């Protein structure tokens, strides 16, 4: 029996299969049944090797957190003694302070929960802002944050040559500067104030956009409002085209449609979150990081 196994859920099958292939490890499935009252029954392979990698992205996170709460101790009962959580999208990272008195700092408590369940946590472009590193987020545990920004930078340069890259807000600076560096692209970040779930006020950086191909680059698109506001402004300032590249394509409800209605041409995302817009795979990036974590490289 192999020393390693990748465990995954069937709604993330394409990424799981690519990863298992790249890592050359057996792939086991977590089978999931939801009872009429909403409770979950999970079933893991009944005999696990010592080192288990559990793939579970936390898009639509609440039920998935319960899955993790159940899976991690069960995997240890079934033979695993080291469990790495591979969560390409780590949810609850944006609430990193109490913005009003009494507000729960979800980032801290979700990280404490995961740190208690897993020996290591690996993710892609987590929304770290005031808490700056995975070490700070998971004290005493191994935490690895990978970035898809170089891959997105290469992708947009291949598609468009020399677009102007814009991050809609200051928090996107970390990804935009890395993506732009790949091909020395002109780049900048805007300034954003969020007034509510579906309302943002935004100002793009003072770059010359007239006649240019503009790519809006961000870590996550949720309601799409941030990107819609940025796209409308770029077009009003004379951009020849506006495309979007994001690591995590959440696109809730009709966000994608509204983005196109606002004038966005292409929407490209990574497969960190399964979505119709996936154009760039993070599987090789993840596989390399797992090999390093397991000391296989
Ligand atoms: C926050 O600063 C993030 O980087 C994204 O800009 C934000 O979460 C996008 O949210 P929405 O699509 O709902 O505007």
């Amino acid at each position: 029996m192999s020393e390693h196994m990748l465990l995954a859920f069937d709604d993330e099958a394409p990424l799981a299969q690519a990863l298992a292939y790249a890592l050359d490890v057996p792939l086991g499935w977590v089978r999931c049944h939801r009872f009429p009252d909403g409770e979950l029954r999970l079933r893991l392979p009944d005999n696990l090797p010592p080192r288990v990698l559990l793939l579970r992205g936390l898009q639509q996170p609440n039920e998935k957190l319960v899955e993790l709460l159940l899976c991690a101790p069960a995997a240890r009962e079934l033979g695993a003694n080291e469990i790495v959580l591979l969560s390409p999208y780590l949810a609850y990272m944006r609430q990193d302070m109490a913005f009003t008195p009494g507000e729960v700092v979800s980032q801290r408590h979700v990280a404490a929960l995961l740190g208690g369940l897993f020996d290591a946590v690996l993710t892609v472009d987590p929304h770290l802002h005031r808490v700056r590193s995975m070490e700070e987020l998971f004290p005493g545990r191994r935490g690895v944050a990978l970035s898809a920004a170089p891959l997105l930078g290469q992708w947009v340069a291949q598609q468009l040559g020399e677009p102007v890259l814009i991050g809609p807000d200051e928090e996107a600076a970390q990804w935009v500067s890395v993506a732009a560096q790949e091909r020395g692209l002109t780049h900048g970040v805007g300034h954003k104030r969020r007034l509510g779930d579906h309302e943002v006020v935004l100002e793009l950086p003072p770059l010359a956009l007239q006649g240019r191909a503009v790519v809006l680059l961000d870590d996550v698109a949720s309601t799409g409002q941030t990107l819609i506001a940025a796209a409308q402004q770029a077009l009003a300032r004379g951009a020849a085209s506006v495309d979007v590249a994001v690591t995590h394509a959440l696109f809730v409800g009709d966000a994608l449609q509204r983005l196109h209605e606002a004038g966005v041409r292409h929407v490209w995302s990574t497969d960190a979150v399964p979505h119709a817009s996936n154009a760039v795979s993070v599987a090789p990036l993840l596989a390399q990081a797992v090999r390093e974590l397991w000391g296989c490289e």
Side-chain angles (χ1 to χ4, degrees), residues 186-223:
T186 303
H187 63 285
V189 293
H191 174 71
K192 179 176 83 178
R193 216 155 39 91
R194 185 172 279 282
L195 305 178
D197 288 347
H198 296 271
E199 207 182 342
V200 300
V201 181
L202 188 146
E203 203 183 319
L204 292 188
L207 296 169
L209 303 183
Q210 184 67 42
R212 298 292 307 269
V214 169
V215 175
L216 303 172
L217 191 134
D218 210 352
D219 59 332
V220 52
S222 177
T223 66

Short mmCIF file of all heavy atoms in Angstrom, two decimals, residues 186-223:
data_model
loop_
_atom_site.label_atom_id
_atom_site.label_comp_id
_atom_site.label_asym_id
_atom_site.label_seq_id
_atom_site.Cartn_x
_atom_site.Cartn_y
_atom_site.Cartn_z
N THR A 186 2.61 47.35 -17.56
CA THR A 186 2.18 48.55 -16.85
C THR A 186 1.08 48.14 -15.88
O THR A 186 0.17 47.38 -16.24
CB THR A 186 1.59 49.58 -17.86
OG1 THR A 186 2.59 49.84 -18.83
CG2 THR A 186 1.17 50.85 -17.16
N HIS A 187 1.15 48.64 -14.65
CA HIS A 187 0.14 48.22 -13.68
C HIS A 187 -0.11 49.29 -12.63
O HIS A 187 0.68 50.22 -12.47
CB HIS A 187 0.56 46.91 -13.00
CG HIS A 187 1.82 47.04 -12.19
ND1 HIS A 187 3.06 47.12 -12.77
CD2 HIS A 187 2.02 47.10 -10.87
CE1 HIS A 187 3.98 47.22 -11.83
NE2 HIS A 187 3.38 47.21 -10.66
N GLY A 188 -1.22 49.13 -11.93
CA GLY A 188 -1.55 50.05 -10.85
C GLY A 188 -2.72 49.50 -10.06
O GLY A 188 -3.33 48.49 -10.46
N VAL A 189 -3.01 50.13 -8.93
CA VAL A 189 -4.16 49.69 -8.13
C VAL A 189 -5.07 50.87 -7.84
O VAL A 189 -4.61 52.01 -7.70
CB VAL A 189 -3.76 49.01 -6.79
CG1 VAL A 189 -3.06 47.70 -7.02
CG2 VAL A 189 -2.93 49.93 -5.92
N GLY A 190 -6.34 50.58 -7.73
CA GLY A 190 -7.33 51.61 -7.44
C GLY A 190 -7.54 51.75 -5.95
O GLY A 190 -6.84 51.15 -5.12
N HIS A 191 -8.53 52.55 -5.64
CA HIS A 191 -8.88 52.76 -4.23
C HIS A 191 -10.36 52.44 -4.11
O HIS A 191 -11.18 52.92 -4.89
CB HIS A 191 -8.60 54.22 -3.85
CG HIS A 191 -9.06 54.54 -2.47
ND1 HIS A 191 -8.44 54.05 -1.35
CD2 HIS A 191 -10.11 55.28 -2.04
CE1 HIS A 191 -9.07 54.48 -0.29
NE2 HIS A 191 -10.10 55.23 -0.67
N LYS A 192 -10.70 51.60 -3.12
CA LYS A 192 -12.11 51.15 -3.03
C LYS A 192 -12.64 51.36 -1.63
O LYS A 192 -11.93 51.17 -0.65
CB LYS A 192 -12.18 49.66 -3.38
CG LYS A 192 -13.58 49.08 -3.29
CD LYS A 192 -13.61 47.62 -3.74
CE LYS A 192 -13.21 46.66 -2.64
NZ LYS A 192 -13.27 45.27 -3.04
N ARG A 193 -13.90 51.75 -1.55
CA ARG A 193 -14.61 51.78 -0.28
C ARG A 193 -15.88 50.96 -0.46
O ARG A 193 -16.63 51.17 -1.41
CB ARG A 193 -14.98 53.23 0.07
CG ARG A 193 -14.90 53.55 1.54
CD ARG A 193 -14.66 55.03 1.79
NE ARG A 193 -15.40 55.90 0.88
CZ ARG A 193 -16.63 56.38 1.12
NH1 ARG A 193 -17.28 56.06 2.21
NH2 ARG A 193 -17.22 57.18 0.23
N ARG A 194 -16.05 49.97 0.43
CA ARG A 194 -17.25 49.13 0.31
C ARG A 194 -18.34 49.70 1.20
O ARG A 194 -18.13 49.88 2.40
CB ARG A 194 -16.93 47.68 0.70
CG ARG A 194 -18.09 46.74 0.47
CD ARG A 194 -17.69 45.29 0.69
NE ARG A 194 -17.00 44.71 -0.45
CZ ARG A 194 -17.60 44.28 -1.56
NH1 ARG A 194 -18.89 44.36 -1.69
NH2 ARG A 194 -16.89 43.75 -2.53
N LEU A 195 -19.49 49.99 0.60
CA LEU A 195 -20.58 50.57 1.37
C LEU A 195 -21.57 49.50 1.83
O LEU A 195 -22.36 49.71 2.74
CB LEU A 195 -21.32 51.63 0.54
CG LEU A 195 -20.43 52.75 -0.04
CD1 LEU A 195 -21.25 53.71 -0.87
CD2 LEU A 195 -19.71 53.50 1.08
N GLY A 196 -21.55 48.36 1.18
CA GLY A 196 -22.47 47.27 1.54
C GLY A 196 -22.13 46.06 0.69
O GLY A 196 -21.25 46.12 -0.16
N ASP A 197 -22.87 44.96 0.90
CA ASP A 197 -22.57 43.72 0.16
C ASP A 197 -22.51 43.96 -1.34
O ASP A 197 -21.69 43.38 -2.05
CB ASP A 197 -23.65 42.66 0.43
CG ASP A 197 -23.55 42.10 1.84
OD1 ASP A 197 -22.53 42.35 2.50
OD2 ASP A 197 -24.52 41.45 2.28
N HIS A 198 -23.45 44.81 -1.83
CA HIS A 198 -23.57 44.99 -3.28
C HIS A 198 -23.23 46.41 -3.71
O HIS A 198 -23.66 46.86 -4.76
CB HIS A 198 -24.99 44.62 -3.75
CG HIS A 198 -25.31 43.18 -3.52
ND1 HIS A 198 -25.05 42.20 -4.44
CD2 HIS A 198 -25.85 42.54 -2.45
CE1 HIS A 198 -25.41 41.02 -3.96
NE2 HIS A 198 -25.90 41.21 -2.75
N GLU A 199 -22.52 47.14 -2.88
CA GLU A 199 -22.24 48.54 -3.22
C GLU A 199 -20.79 48.90 -2.89
O GLU A 199 -20.37 48.78 -1.74
CB GLU A 199 -23.20 49.45 -2.44
CG GLU A 199 -23.44 50.76 -3.15
CD GLU A 199 -24.35 51.68 -2.34
OE1 GLU A 199 -25.05 51.20 -1.43
OE2 GLU A 199 -24.34 52.88 -2.64
N VAL A 200 -20.08 49.33 -3.92
CA VAL A 200 -18.70 49.80 -3.69
C VAL A 200 -18.51 51.14 -4.40
O VAL A 200 -19.15 51.42 -5.41
CB VAL A 200 -17.64 48.79 -4.23
CG1 VAL A 200 -17.74 47.44 -3.57
CG2 VAL A 200 -17.70 48.65 -5.72
N VAL A 201 -17.62 51.96 -3.83
CA VAL A 201 -17.22 53.20 -4.50
C VAL A 201 -15.74 53.02 -4.80
O VAL A 201 -14.96 52.64 -3.93
CB VAL A 201 -17.40 54.43 -3.57
CG1 VAL A 201 -16.99 55.70 -4.29
CG2 VAL A 201 -18.82 54.51 -3.10
N LEU A 202 -15.36 53.31 -6.04
CA LEU A 202 -14.03 52.92 -6.46
C LEU A 202 -13.40 53.96 -7.38
O LEU A 202 -14.10 54.59 -8.18
CB LEU A 202 -14.21 51.58 -7.18
CG LEU A 202 -13.05 50.76 -7.62
CD1 LEU A 202 -13.42 49.29 -7.50
CD2 LEU A 202 -12.69 51.08 -9.04
N GLU A 203 -12.12 54.13 -7.24
CA GLU A 203 -11.41 55.06 -8.13
C GLU A 203 -10.19 54.35 -8.71
O GLU A 203 -9.35 53.83 -7.95
CB GLU A 203 -10.95 56.27 -7.32
CG GLU A 203 -10.72 57.49 -8.17
CD GLU A 203 -10.20 58.62 -7.28
OE1 GLU A 203 -10.70 58.76 -6.16
OE2 GLU A 203 -9.27 59.29 -7.72
N LEU A 204 -10.09 54.31 -10.01
CA LEU A 204 -8.96 53.62 -10.65
C LEU A 204 -7.70 54.48 -10.58
O LEU A 204 -7.79 55.70 -10.44
CB LEU A 204 -9.29 53.29 -12.11
CG LEU A 204 -10.37 52.24 -12.34
CD1 LEU A 204 -10.44 51.88 -13.81
CD2 LEU A 204 -10.14 51.00 -11.51
N PRO A 205 -6.53 53.87 -10.71
CA PRO A 205 -5.29 54.65 -10.65
C PRO A 205 -5.15 55.56 -11.88
O PRO A 205 -5.73 55.27 -12.94
CB PRO A 205 -4.20 53.57 -10.65
CG PRO A 205 -4.83 52.39 -11.29
CD PRO A 205 -6.29 52.45 -10.93
N PRO A 206 -4.37 56.64 -11.75
CA PRO A 206 -4.26 57.60 -12.86
C PRO A 206 -3.31 57.11 -13.97
O PRO A 206 -2.30 57.73 -14.25
CB PRO A 206 -3.71 58.85 -12.18
CG PRO A 206 -2.97 58.33 -10.99
CD PRO A 206 -3.62 57.05 -10.56
N LEU A 207 -3.66 55.99 -14.59
CA LEU A 207 -2.85 55.47 -15.70
C LEU A 207 -3.54 55.87 -17.01
O LEU A 207 -4.76 56.03 -17.03
CB LEU A 207 -2.78 53.93 -15.65
CG LEU A 207 -2.09 53.30 -14.44
CD1 LEU A 207 -2.36 51.80 -14.40
CD2 LEU A 207 -0.60 53.57 -14.51
N ALA A 208 -2.76 55.97 -18.08
CA ALA A 208 -3.37 56.29 -19.39
C ALA A 208 -4.06 55.03 -19.92
O ALA A 208 -3.40 54.02 -20.19
CB ALA A 208 -2.27 56.75 -20.35
N LEU A 209 -5.39 55.08 -20.05
CA LEU A 209 -6.13 53.88 -20.48
C LEU A 209 -6.70 54.01 -21.89
O LEU A 209 -7.16 53.03 -22.47
CB LEU A 209 -7.27 53.60 -19.49
CG LEU A 209 -6.88 53.40 -18.03
CD1 LEU A 209 -8.10 53.05 -17.19
CD2 LEU A 209 -5.82 52.30 -17.89
N GLN A 210 -6.65 55.22 -22.43
CA GLN A 210 -7.23 55.48 -23.76
C GLN A 210 -6.67 54.50 -24.80
O GLN A 210 -5.45 54.42 -25.00
CB GLN A 210 -6.90 56.92 -24.18
CG GLN A 210 -7.51 57.37 -25.49
CD GLN A 210 -9.05 57.46 -25.40
OE1 GLN A 210 -9.58 57.94 -24.39
NE2 GLN A 210 -9.74 57.00 -26.42
N GLY A 211 -7.56 53.71 -25.40
CA GLY A 211 -7.15 52.80 -26.48
C GLY A 211 -6.39 51.57 -26.01
O GLY A 211 -5.94 50.77 -26.85
N ARG A 212 -6.25 51.40 -24.71
CA ARG A 212 -5.46 50.26 -24.21
C ARG A 212 -6.36 49.07 -23.86
O ARG A 212 -7.52 49.23 -23.50
CB ARG A 212 -4.69 50.65 -22.92
CG ARG A 212 -3.67 51.75 -23.10
CD ARG A 212 -2.49 51.35 -23.96
NE ARG A 212 -1.81 50.13 -23.56
CZ ARG A 212 -0.78 50.07 -22.71
NH1 ARG A 212 -0.30 51.19 -22.19
NH2 ARG A 212 -0.20 48.92 -22.41
N ALA A 213 -5.77 47.88 -23.93
CA ALA A 213 -6.45 46.69 -23.41
C ALA A 213 -6.19 46.66 -21.91
O ALA A 213 -5.03 46.68 -21.48
CB ALA A 213 -5.87 45.45 -24.08
N VAL A 214 -7.27 46.63 -21.14
CA VAL A 214 -7.14 46.64 -19.68
C VAL A 214 -7.53 45.28 -19.14
O VAL A 214 -8.54 44.69 -19.57
CB VAL A 214 -8.04 47.75 -19.07
CG1 VAL A 214 -8.13 47.61 -17.55
CG2 VAL A 214 -7.51 49.12 -19.44
N VAL A 215 -6.74 44.77 -18.20
CA VAL A 215 -7.12 43.55 -17.48
C VAL A 215 -7.26 43.89 -16.01
O VAL A 215 -6.33 44.43 -15.40
CB VAL A 215 -6.08 42.42 -17.66
CG1 VAL A 215 -6.46 41.22 -16.80
CG2 VAL A 215 -5.99 42.01 -19.12
N LEU A 216 -8.43 43.60 -15.47
CA LEU A 216 -8.65 43.78 -14.04
C LEU A 216 -8.27 42.48 -13.35
O LEU A 216 -8.78 41.42 -13.72
CB LEU A 216 -10.12 44.10 -13.77
CG LEU A 216 -10.66 45.34 -14.50
CD1 LEU A 216 -12.17 45.43 -14.32
CD2 LEU A 216 -9.97 46.60 -13.99
N LEU A 217 -7.38 42.57 -12.37
CA LEU A 217 -6.89 41.35 -11.73
C LEU A 217 -7.16 41.41 -10.23
O LEU A 217 -6.86 42.42 -9.60
CB LEU A 217 -5.39 41.22 -12.01
CG LEU A 217 -4.75 39.89 -11.64
CD1 LEU A 217 -3.86 39.41 -12.77
CD2 LEU A 217 -3.95 40.00 -10.36
N ASP A 218 -7.75 40.35 -9.69
CA ASP A 218 -8.05 40.35 -8.26
C ASP A 218 -7.94 38.91 -7.74
O ASP A 218 -7.90 37.96 -8.52
CB ASP A 218 -9.46 40.90 -8.03
CG ASP A 218 -9.59 41.60 -6.67
OD1 ASP A 218 -8.65 41.53 -5.85
OD2 ASP A 218 -10.65 42.21 -6.42
N ASP A 219 -7.92 38.79 -6.41
CA ASP A 219 -7.85 37.44 -5.84
C ASP A 219 -9.18 36.72 -5.94
O ASP A 219 -9.24 35.55 -6.25
CB ASP A 219 -7.38 37.48 -4.38
CG ASP A 219 -8.29 38.31 -3.47
OD1 ASP A 219 -8.93 39.25 -3.96
OD2 ASP A 219 -8.35 38.01 -2.26
N VAL A 220 -10.28 37.47 -5.69
CA VAL A 220 -11.58 36.81 -5.64
C VAL A 220 -12.65 37.70 -6.23
O VAL A 220 -12.61 38.92 -6.05
CB VAL A 220 -11.90 36.38 -4.18
CG1 VAL A 220 -11.77 37.52 -3.21
CG2 VAL A 220 -13.28 35.77 -4.04
N ALA A 221 -13.57 37.09 -6.94
CA ALA A 221 -14.77 37.81 -7.40
C ALA A 221 -15.96 37.13 -6.75
O ALA A 221 -16.16 35.93 -6.93
CB ALA A 221 -14.88 37.75 -8.91
N SER A 222 -16.73 37.89 -5.99
CA SER A 222 -17.86 37.29 -5.29
C SER A 222 -19.17 37.81 -5.89
O SER A 222 -19.74 37.19 -6.79
CB SER A 222 -17.73 37.63 -3.80
OG SER A 222 -18.83 37.14 -3.09
N THR A 223 -19.63 38.99 -5.47
CA THR A 223 -20.82 39.56 -6.12
C THR A 223 -20.47 40.14 -7.48
O THR A 223 -21.34 40.45 -8.28
CB THR A 223 -21.42 40.71 -5.27
OG1 THR A 223 -20.48 41.79 -5.24
CG2 THR A 223 -21.72 40.26 -3.86
#
